[in-house]
Amino acid sequence: MPRISVKVDGIAYEEDVEPRLLLVHLLRERLGKTGTPAGCDTSNCGACTVMLDGKTVKSCSVLAVQADGSDIVTIEGLAANGSLHPMQRAFHEEHALQCGFCTPGMVMAAIDLVRDTPDPSEEAIREGLEGNLCRCTGYCNIVRAVKRGAQEMGQAVKSS
Amino acid sequence: MIPASFDYVRPGSLAEACQELAADEDAKVIAGGQSLLPLLRLRLAYPTKLVDVARLPELAGVHDRGDHVFIGAMTTHDEVMRSGVVAAGAPLLALATAMVADPAVRHRGTFGGSLAHADPAGDLPAVVLALEGVLVARSAQGEREIPAADFFVDYLESSLRQGEVLVGVKIPKLGDGWGFHYEKFHRTAQAWAIVGVAAAVRRSNGSIQEARIGLTNMGTTPVRARAAETALEGLELGDGLRQACEEAAADTSPPADLHAQPDYRRHLARVLTHRAVRTAAGAP
Ligand SMILES: Cc1cc2nc3c(=O)[nH]c(=O)nc-3n(C[C@H](O)[C@H](O)[C@H](O)COP(=O)(O)OP(=O)(O)OC[C@H]3O[C@@H](n4cnc5c(N)ncnc54)[C@H](O)[C@@H]3O)c2cc1C
Ligand code: FES
Ligand code: FES
């Protein structure tokens, strides 16, 4: 069985994995990172989105062996010193979730978008989140939250 | 679903990858995995071994080679979209790539993987066909070049032979006077094209000198709209455009599926070709 080394939310792991093990299952079942849900399992819904070396990927569509040597950040790795990431806080404050199933993926995709587009328009937000489906909210509050999160992320950078 | 078992290797060089493939005829290349992993999970493919070529340096990068742009097969869609060399030398490809899937899929999926997969619903095969790209393949026996017109053989079937790795693609630069557009008709933002049209048009003195049109999802392979290309040649920009584009669906056998019947696809091909050509030609 191949041995891989990955860093997940700042902690280094060495794991023996079957080649067919999907990254989402490594995260959830081996490392206990159940904050990342598996939704459609067909790379459509985006619920399983994580950052792989700083870029979003759908973790149900990556083999754990393909991630060997990578740095992974999940929704569980965003909060620092016990306080939520500005994008998480914005989702909370703008009531951008109902059941919450899509939220981890939405937040990761939103952070990825803001990295490229610090002050995104509504259109840019809707396009940036095109790979993430929400079955509850109708997206309006999500768009508002991403706008607010983007502003607060900008301020967080400025004040730090 | 969980895929059936397979072995996995990540060779350090292209030569080694070719050896791995030569040694096992049921081994398969994996690139970004964005098309292959869904097939494995649905258990529609049973390779014995996956040969991971995604990190091979020989397959990486975008290079300006004077009269053409060379795009390494493992260049991700995201990298193609951000490349200044592609924007300058192959703008049609940049336009179409931005319409592929969604950001997370574009971070993993590769240009070469999209072509090797040979899905007629994929956006990039029709673009490479219209731009008359040349695909470079390597096996243990050596290297060969395959013009795009000979590359797409059938549904999900390319002319790559068992044991061959797609190294990259040469996209000839089209000089001054050319304009480009890609029209994609789909149900939702991240979805595949019901029909897509890639158009490259050279105009001078208010008329079209040459048009190249590639159609997405209008048959078991991407196809050129030859009859429309001929009808457009020498045409003055104006009312005649729409009529010439009525030829766009000639000699096609579009598929029937949940999204559209063949006659509707033919209708789309005509309408979208008109839009794509009009925009590419800069006509009002
Ligand atoms: C949700 C979703 C939506 C999508 N929407 C679109 C869309 O709108 N338009 C579109 O065009 N595509 C779309 N795609 C497909 C996407 O573009 C894939 O990136 C692409 O089809 C395959 O690229 P890959 O690098 O992931 O290849 P893989 O999945 O790794 O490989 C695909 C096939 O090509 C072979 N292969 C790959 N590389 C090589 C090589 N170098 N040499 C020889 N054989 C090779 C593999 O053996 C396999 O058979 C979508 C995918 C998903 C998951
Ligand atoms: S579970 Fe991965 S995209 Fe839906
Ligand atoms: S909040 Fe339920 S799916 Fe988005």
Side-chain angles (χ1 to χ4, degrees):
Chain A
M1 230 185 266
R3 164 159 296 199
I4 61 166
S5 46
V6 286
K7 203 162 157 196
V8 181
D9 296 337
I11 297 173
Y13 297 89
E14 297 249 338
E15 290 286 319
D16 294 318
V17 297
E18 256 195 285
R20 64 173 167 169
L21 184 73
L22 299 169
L23 179 58
V24 67
H25 296 140
L26 174 79
L27 293 172
R28 290 178 57 84
E29 288 161 21
R30 291 283 194 87
L31 309 182
K33 296 273 177 186
T34 49
T36 300
C40 65
D41 205 20
T42 55
S43 53
N44 280 293
C45 75
C48 65
T49 304
V50 300
M51 298 273 183
L52 185 74
D53 293 329
K55 292 183 196 136
T56 50
V57 301
K58 296 178 176 180
S59 62
C60 71
S61 302
V62 179
L63 297 170
V65 282
Q66 288 177 292
D68 184 19
S70 301
D71 190 344
I72 295 157
V73 179
T74 77
I75 189 76
E76 297 185 33
L78 292 181
N81 308 320
S83 63
L84 292 179
H85 184 282
M87 192 60 79
Q88 289 175 301
R89 208 164 45 235
F91 269 66
H92 174 76
E93 282 165 11
E94 294 291 344
H95 193 62
L97 56 139
Q98 289 179 29
C99 80
F101 200 88
C102 68
T103 313
M106 287 286 178
V107 169
M108 300 315 276
I111 293 172
D112 188 62
L113 168 71
V114 171
R115 221 181 16 141
D116 256 1
T117 316
D119 186 17
S121 63
E122 167 164 357
E123 196 190 339
I125 293 170
R126 289 185 182 272
E127 245 170 50
L129 299 184
E130 68 189 345
N132 295 75
L133 305 180
C134 177
R135 291 285 100 124
C136 303
T137 64
Y139 300 101
C140 291
N141 288 6
I142 293 177
V143 171
R144 250 198 301 277
V146 175
K147 261 210 150 95
R148 178 164 174 174
Q151 275 154 13
E152 285 172 16
M153 277 171 72
Q155 275 160 16
V157 174
K158 273 180 225 140
S159 63
S160 66
Chain B
M1 247 169 73
I2 293 169
S5 294
F6 47 77
D7 290 330
Y8 171 88
V9 288
R10 193 165 58 232
S13 71
L14 178 56
E16 237 180 276
C18 292
Q19 276 162 17
E20 289 283 356
L21 291 166
D24 178 355
E25 66 175 68
D26 293 319
K28 216 169 176 21
V29 169
I30 183 165
Q34 298 303 291
S35 291
L36 185 53
L37 283 178
L39 287 181
L40 295 178
R41 282 190 320 211
L42 294 169
R43 301 213 173 188
L44 294 172
Y46 290 88
T48 49
K49 183 192 284 182
L50 294 186
V51 180
D52 188 344
V53 299
R55 301 185 197 182
L56 289 180
E58 296 96 324
L59 273 54
V62 178
H63 311 278
D64 188 335
R65 299 250 171 96
D67 64 343
H68 68 272
V69 176
F70 184 83
I71 305 175
M74 292 304 99
T75 310
T76 62
H77 300 315
D78 189 58
E79 288 162 350
V80 168
M81 280 169 64
R82 290 168 194 271
S83 162
V85 174
V86 173
L92 180 59
L93 182 59
L95 280 176
T97 303
M99 307 202 74
V100 169
D102 57 61
V105 172
R106 293 196 297 261
H107 286 148
R108 297 290 300 166
T110 65
F111 180 52
S114 288
L115 301 176
H117 193 54
D119 188 336
D123 297 296
L124 307 179
V127 171
V128 172
L129 192 66
L131 294 177
E132 302 186 348
V134 175
L135 294 92
V136 181
R138 177 87 69 83
S139 71
Q141 277 76 50
E143 196 162 283
R144 70 183 176 115
E145 297 197 344
I146 311 160
D150 300 330
F151 186 78
F152 303 103
V153 176
D154 205 345
Y155 181 70
L156 301 188
E157 192 182 330
S158 77
S159 60
L160 284 176
R161 300 178 187 135
Q162 198 274 316
E164 267 182 336
V165 177
L166 180 63
V167 177
V169 185
K170 297 179 175 178
I171 308 276
K173 286 186 195 169
L174 296 174
D176 290 346
W178 285 89
F180 307 95
H181 196 63
Y182 187 70
E183 275 287 332
K184 175 171 180 172
F185 192 83
H186 50 173
R187 256 178 357 105
T188 60
Q190 65 162 175
W192 296 80
I194 296 174
V195 172
V197 177
V201 174
R202 183 162 59 89
R203 65 177 256 195
S204 83
N205 299 330
S207 65
I208 291 177
Q209 303 298 308
E210 189 181 348
R212 299 190 197 164
I213 300 162
L215 303 177
T216 296
N217 220 0
M218 284 296 289
T220 56
T221 64
V223 289
R224 287 280 286 268
R226 294 282 186 194
E229 291 178 2
T230 308
L232 285 163
E233 214 180 284
L235 199 73
E236 279 191 26
L237 293 178
D239 296 344
L241 266 194
R242 180 184 294 275
Q243 176 131 31
C245 294
E246 285 295 307
E247 303 291 326
D251 302 320
T252 59
S253 322
D257 58 27
L258 212 58
H259 303 301
Q261 294 302 308
D263 60 341
Y264 180 53
R265 281 200 160 87
R266 287 194 192 92
H267 167 74
L268 284 176
R270 293 190 277 262
V271 172
L272 299 177
T273 297
H274 180 231
R275 288 184 196 162
V277 168
R278 198 178 52 194
T279 309

